[in-house]
Amino acid sequence: MTPDESISPAQAAELAVRADYSRILATLIRMTRDVDLAEDALQEAAVRALQTWPRDGVPREPRAWLTVVARRCALDRIRRDKAREVKEAESVWLLEHEAPEPEASVVRDDLLRLVFTCCHPSLSLDAQVALSLRTLGGLSTVEVARALMVPEATMAKRLTRAKQKIKQAHIPYRVPSDAELPERLPAVLATVYLIFNEGYAAAGGQDAMRATLVDESIRLGRVLHELMPDEASISGLLALLLLQDSRRASRIDAAGAVVLLADQDRSLWRQESIREGVELVGEALRRTPEQPDPYAMQAAIAACHAIAVDYESTDWDAIISWYDVLLSVQDSPSARLGRAGAVSERDGAQAGLIEVDAISGLDGYPWWHASRAELLTRLGRLNEADAASQQALALGLNEAHARFVGRYRATSS
Amino acid sequence: MPEYVAMIYTKDVDWSLPEYAADTAEYSEFQQGAAAVLRGGAALYPTATATTVRVSGGKGGDVLTTDGPYAETKEALTGFFIMECADLDEAIAFAAKIPAAWDGAVEVRPVLPIM
């Protein structure tokens, strides 16, 4: 890679750090086995780049430069602290015996190791999400706090605790063996999906969507897919994220209100994401013909919506059968709710309502009440619809979604 | 290699009673299987035998003793093992083989190395 003449060395430093943040960090964590130390060292190296590159020019290999300098910073710090912390002697050995610039495949593995370390089952799910955003997404603590809507001090504490646990409890920095992978991969995928969902349908606040989180989750999904291209559940998840996100531009109207799938302007759907998503669904299905993957099933449903030219030509039969396959491997109330929605489109509101009412365990889920409100409105049972939409609102939809559900109240009162 | 304490929480039992012989047999089986990592451990008498000690007013103050465990809970600390493992994953794998893990809980904590 040759430095681009058109950008300033300061910009080059910033770009190099941002582009390779998680890769360099992953390598440093392998060398030091200490997330905090690795982060501090990388920061120090970035500062030095900003100081020296404008004077000396941008190095030929910015990533290698940053890795070597950060490694040296980490080593200095360990030596300073060595008197206090005897255990660090191990790290010194590691640092001194490490080749300065690891090969591409090692960097790739470092990243994969980091993914599994951040999503270790001994960390709370909250900590997994936060740590993944911080180290793999390269978000600052302030950004992670904002993204997950937690006070900054709380987030700083949560991250510190997670990083300390990794260090003090010796959470291993390694990729699980093939035998362990089936039990460990779901936590990783759940974390990525949680980040996506948090961004796609924000649980609180003003905005219906937080694009940074959606972008980060897709980036993480791509990293995983690149690292483990044969894992059907990863292809399935990435497909699901891409297909859901392909509707981004049409999901919210100018006033910030949610637009129903039926009313969305399909010309705004991102075809590139749909093409890629559909291809990944096919890949996932081919890999696991006998053991359907839940993410791939959900992605298949999303694909049915994505390839319909308009709402009327949606293939509800296909969607309902995908839901049936999904329910056979992962029976959840929310999947049943989705299936009920498809039934109401194919067989009418009455048939849909019967299915919705048959689902138990969703009393506390605002979208269950919202679905009832919609179907009851269609059936002209306006008093009941009003009661259902009030329950949905009482359960705390975020403002953008609440305005949408509120429409039923307006039409029914 | 780091050391971990695996703290065994079960219903409050008296391991010395003959009716727990079957359970202790299960524990011996665990100890044989984990011999390579075990560095120590003990079974404890029930919490009824516990005395909790506090010194009021700080160092050098009055010694206050109360009858019973520090915390009264449904599941009590009834024993522990010290294990030396490569990392937390290995410690968890061994902890999962302790009989208490399937009818109580095992808390795994890293030991702070003291010079």
Side-chain angles (χ1 to χ4, degrees):
Chain A
M1 192 170 79
T2 47
D4 188 343
E5 300 294 333
S6 64
I7 55 171
S8 74
Q11 281 171 312
E14 225 183 290
L15 283 174
V17 175
R18 203 176 311 151
D20 288 319
Y21 179 87
S22 32
R23 283 167 198 277
I24 303 173
L25 188 68
T27 301
L28 289 168
I29 294 174
R30 170 169 52 82
M31 293 169 173
T32 61
R33 296 189 179 172
D34 184 335
V35 183
D36 259 331
L37 177 64
E39 278 183 350
D40 287 350
L42 180 50
Q43 205 137 27
E44 220 172 307
V47 170
R48 280 195 208 170
L50 283 169
Q51 287 166 347
T52 57
W53 292 6
R55 191 187 64 216
D56 305 337
V58 179
R60 188 183 296 274
E61 298 275 1
R63 185 169 87 199
W65 190 97
L66 285 163
T67 308
V68 171
V69 171
R71 179 176 160 270
R72 221 173 282 149
C73 295
L75 191 54
D76 286 347
R77 196 174 287 227
I78 288 169
R79 287 202 177 113
R80 273 203 305 274
D81 294 348
K82 203 165 71 167
R84 281 193 291 125
E85 286 196 57
V86 177
K87 282 301 281 180
E88 300 291 6
E90 276 175 42
S91 312
V92 175
W93 187 91
L94 276 164
L95 278 165
E96 283 172 346
H97 291 78
E98 198 57 56
E101 172 58 357
E103 294 178 12
S105 63
V106 179
V107 174
R108 201 201 68 160
D109 293 346
D110 283 345
L111 204 53
L112 195 52
R113 274 190 279 263
L114 184 56
V115 173
F116 280 98
T117 308
C118 291
C119 299
H120 195 276
S122 75
L123 296 170
S124 72
L125 200 54
D126 279 352
Q128 289 178 25
V129 172
L131 203 58
S132 298
L133 284 174
R134 177 85 184 88
T135 57
L136 295 159
L139 269 60
S140 70
T141 303
V142 183
E143 285 169 330
V144 177
R146 206 183 303 138
L148 300 176
M149 288 186 300
V150 167
E152 197 190 327
T154 311
M155 184 50 70
K157 230 178 280 167
R158 189 181 293 170
L159 283 166
T160 305
R161 215 178 299 139
K163 288 186 275 193
Q164 270 173 0
K165 182 163 184 187
I166 290 175
K167 185 181 170 186
Q168 294 169 342
H170 289 256
I171 289 180
Y173 183 62
R174 66 180 177 92
V175 180
S177 65
D178 286 353
E180 294 169 294
L181 209 53
E183 69 180 80
R184 290 288 305 279
L185 193 57
V188 171
L189 298 181
T191 302
V192 174
Y193 195 34
L194 208 65
I195 293 170
F196 176 83
N197 278 333
E198 195 61 37
Y200 186 75
Q206 297 271 335
D207 301 328
M209 194 173 96
R210 279 175 286 158
T212 332
L213 290 184
V214 171
D215 291 341
E216 275 314 318
S217 64
I218 291 175
R219 202 183 74 88
L220 293 176
R222 284 192 194 286
V223 168
L224 281 170
H225 184 251
E226 185 195 320
L227 298 170
M228 290 187 272
D230 298 335
E231 278 298 326
S233 51
I234 297 176
S235 313
L237 176 63
L238 181 55
L240 178 59
L241 305 190
L242 287 166
L243 289 164
Q244 302 275 59
D245 185 49
S246 69
R247 304 198 283 265
R248 184 191 292 201
S250 62
R251 289 180 59 228
I252 316 288
D253 69 13
V258 175
V259 182
L260 272 180
L261 192 57
D263 304 328
Q264 287 179 12
D265 177 357
R266 291 179 184 226
S267 69
L268 296 174
W269 289 3
R270 207 187 298 138
Q271 290 306 315
E272 210 183 303
S273 305
I274 293 173
R275 253 195 312 277
E276 199 185 346
V278 168
E279 207 165 292
L280 284 163
V281 175
E283 206 177 278
L285 295 176
R286 272 195 304 280
R287 288 227 158 77
T288 50
E290 69 294 325
Q291 173 61 44
D293 173 73
Y295 290 117
M297 295 303 106
Q298 293 174 75
I301 294 164
C304 290
H305 288 297
I307 58 179
V309 283
D310 49 43
Y311 193 71
E312 288 65 39
S313 43
T314 309
D315 187 347
W316 296 110
D317 283 332
I319 289 175
I320 291 167
S321 9
W322 283 122
Y323 269 117
D324 288 334
V325 184
L326 173 63
L327 286 167
S328 75
V329 287
Q330 193 183 68
D331 192 348
S332 72
S334 58
R336 284 176 178 273
L337 188 61
R339 187 185 186 280
V343 167
S344 73
E345 292 304 319
R346 189 187 65 179
D347 304 335
Q350 185 60 46
L353 186 62
I354 290 170
E355 294 239 341
V356 172
D357 284 342
I359 308 166
S360 57
L362 287 183
D363 284 353
Y365 187 56
W367 290 111
W368 182 73
H369 295 284
S371 302
R372 294 194 71 241
E374 186 194 334
L375 294 170
L376 288 163
T377 305
R378 282 199 215 166
L379 291 168
R381 291 155 64 176
L382 300 181
N383 287 335
E384 291 164 86
D386 187 44
S389 64
Q390 292 206 39
Q391 267 170 307
L393 292 171
L395 285 165
L397 286 177
N398 81 46
E399 283 177 40
H401 289 128
R403 275 200 298 280
F404 165 73
V405 175
R407 290 199 319 200
Y408 296 117
R409 300 188 62 191
T411 51
S412 60
S413 57
Chain B
M1 282 219 291
E3 283 188 338
Y4 298 86
V5 174
M7 288 175 274
I8 291 159
Y9 289 88
T10 60
K11 65 179 169 31
D12 208 358
V13 290
D14 186 345
W15 299 115
S16 64
L17 296 177
E19 57 256 46
Y20 293 106
D23 299 70
T24 47
E26 295 239 48
Y27 274 91
S28 326
E29 199 182 309
F30 163 73
Q31 280 170 277
Q32 275 159 23
V37 301
L38 284 183
R39 297 292 172 269
L44 304 175
Y45 278 106
T47 53
T49 65
T51 306
T52 301
V53 180
R54 284 186 180 83
V55 173
S56 76
K59 190 176 175 183
D62 294 336
V63 177
L64 296 177
T65 56
T66 44
D67 177 30
Y70 170 65
E72 207 71 67
T73 48
K74 203 165 113 268
E75 285 171 338
L77 179 66
T78 56
F80 65 92
F81 287 109
I82 299 170
M83 312 185 294
E84 188 176 347
C85 296
D87 54 40
L88 184 62
D89 279 358
E90 198 192 349
I92 289 171
F94 278 107
K97 295 195 175 89
I98 299 175
W102 57 81
D103 59 10
V106 177
E107 179 182 331
V108 176
R109 289 260 288 273
V111 174
L112 175 70
I114 301 168
M115 296 218 29

